[in-house]
Amino acid sequence: FLAPIAMVSITDADRESFQRDGFLKVENLITVELAKELRDSFDDLFRGKFPTGIYPDEWHWREGISKPEKFREIVNAWKSSDLVASVACSANIAAVAAKLMGWSGVRLGQDDVLWKPPGASGVGYHQDSTYISENFRPLENNSVTVWIALDDADEETGVVEYAVASHRWPKVAAIDATNSSFHGAEDELASVRLAAQKAGEALEIRRLAVPVGGAIFHHQDVWHGSGANRSSERPRRALGVHLLSRDVTFRRDPRPDYIYGRYVLSEGSGEVSEQFFPILWTTSGYVSPILRRAKKRPVEVDAPAAAC
């Protein structure tokens, strides 16, 4: 797992594209074989069969209780599955994020096991900063998301959509998170239309099909969502990995929100513990001891990026 970082073909042009648009599509981030192994493990995870014996932080959708067409999500499955951890805690993937963001070190914020079954609704436009970045300081440019396709994400199953360059809109464009319904919004563009109007910016939407094993890296402040799964047979499964700059601390006032607040070590402390938010990659080669003790498989990243 702690093998030397593979050479990753992220060019200066790729980085400029990411900084300009707020997102970058990368082909073949993981192998098709690994993607299949991951998605095949989802059935057991959603049945509550956690290989490590540790429960995740959130578990939305229960077999026999939840409707089969409803969107499914597990948060921080890296604690529950070494297979998920092998990707979520990959030093190689973290190194790509570091290059795109200009960071000297990267830690894991959280992962999201995502399952959009046939008939599931789309995901309304939102910014990840509302739910992740705002719990940490400094706030600016402290997180990036890696969305990895485990099934083909296409026009039928629901492509990923971005408001181009919206991460550079004036902060006046920020709106209350309650205005950005995640699942089942009647108008999935309502929140981003309002944000663009407030910012005085033209709204340009780019819709990206992502094949199995491909990924999109996107900035914390870029507005994004995805369409409904209109297929009658094909699920659309993915793994989201939210990465943080190594140097973040928790915000102190107000206390961090639900998932993050539980890991505040003492009242008023800003320390972000490596036990729960491990450091995955640094320019010096340091990684958190919890990763050195773990027995997880390596994830090689050696494919060139494809700017979108």
Side-chain angles (χ1 to χ4, degrees):
F1 181 69
L2 295 173
I5 302 296
M7 294 298 294
V8 180
S9 299
I10 297 295
T11 66
D12 289 341
D14 293 328
R15 187 167 185 265
E16 290 172 7
S17 176
F18 175 84
Q19 293 177 340
R20 180 188 67 243
D21 296 336
F23 53 89
L24 182 76
K25 180 177 170 181
V26 176
E27 303 285 355
N28 302 313
L29 184 69
I30 66 173
T31 64
V32 172
E33 292 75 18
L34 178 55
K36 182 181 186 302
E37 191 175 2
L38 279 163
R39 70 180 185 242
D40 287 349
S41 74
F42 281 17
D43 283 309
D44 277 349
L45 290 176
F46 280 97
R47 292 187 182 114
K49 297 179 180 179
F50 303 125
T52 67
I54 300 172
Y55 270 57
D57 283 319
E58 289 187 354
W59 173 14
H60 303 292
W61 196 89
R62 306 297 174 97
E63 190 173 47
I65 299 175
S66 306
K67 293 181 179 180
E69 75 277 8
K70 290 299 183 181
F71 191 93
R72 310 172 191 185
E73 179 184 22
I74 289 175
V75 177
N76 281 333
W78 73 274
K79 302 174 183 179
S80 310
S81 162
D82 283 350
L83 178 59
V84 173
S86 71
V87 178
C89 296
S90 166
N92 299 325
I93 293 174
V96 177
K99 184 164 187 178
L100 294 175
M101 295 295 286
W103 293 339
S104 61
V106 183
R107 67 169 75 229
L108 178 63
Q110 68 176 67
D111 66 49
D112 290 287
V113 168
L114 305 168
W115 187 342
K116 187 182 287 187
S121 60
V123 177
Y125 270 72
H126 60 281
Q127 295 170 297
D128 290 343
S129 55
T130 302
Y131 307 94
I132 298 170
S133 307
E134 290 186 4
N135 292 286
F136 300 93
R137 297 295 181 269
L139 173 58
E140 298 297 322
N141 298 315
N142 69 18
S143 76
V144 65
T145 295
V146 190
W147 189 93
I148 305 169
L150 306 182
D151 296 295
D152 289 334
D154 52 35
E155 290 292 341
E156 185 179 44
T157 61
V159 296
V160 187
E161 307 177 9
Y162 290 92
V164 179
S166 55
H167 65 305
R168 296 191 282 115
W169 289 353
K171 294 302 179 185
V172 69
I175 63 173
D176 191 296
T178 58
N179 291 327
S180 180
S181 176
F182 257 77
H183 309 297
E186 292 184 6
D187 181 358
E188 293 162 5
L189 289 172
S191 55
V192 72
R193 284 198 190 100
L194 177 60
Q197 182 181 8
K198 283 188 172 185
E201 299 281 350
L203 179 59
E204 178 188 351
I205 300 297
R206 193 170 302 170
R207 307 173 76 240
L208 304 179
V210 185
V212 174
I216 302 174
F217 287 73
H218 70 243
H219 189 277
Q220 65 188 50
D221 292 326
V222 74
W223 284 88
H224 62 286
S226 65
N229 186 347
R230 296 181 176 85
S231 171
S232 61
E233 298 179 345
R234 297 164 55 210
R236 198 209 69 181
R237 290 158 290 192
L239 178 64
V241 182
H242 302 283
L243 300 172
L244 297 165
S245 171
R246 172 190 179 171
D247 300 325
V248 295
T249 60
F250 282 127
R251 75 182 185 206
R252 291 177 170 81
D253 185 24
R255 185 184 177 91
D257 296 332
Y258 173 57
I259 288 180
Y260 297 102
R262 68 175 62 178
Y263 297 111
V264 173
L265 300 181
S266 60
E267 197 62 36
S269 171
E271 179 184 353
V272 178
S273 171
E274 293 180 37
Q275 192 74 14
F276 307 114
F277 304 94
I279 293 171
L280 311 180
W281 178 90
T282 60
T283 52
S284 68
Y286 174 84
V287 298
S288 293
I290 188 175
L291 301 182
R292 295 188 181 279
R293 291 196 300 268
K295 294 180 179 179
K296 304 183 181 77
R297 70 197 71 190
V299 177
E300 294 303 321
V301 183
D302 53 12
C308 300

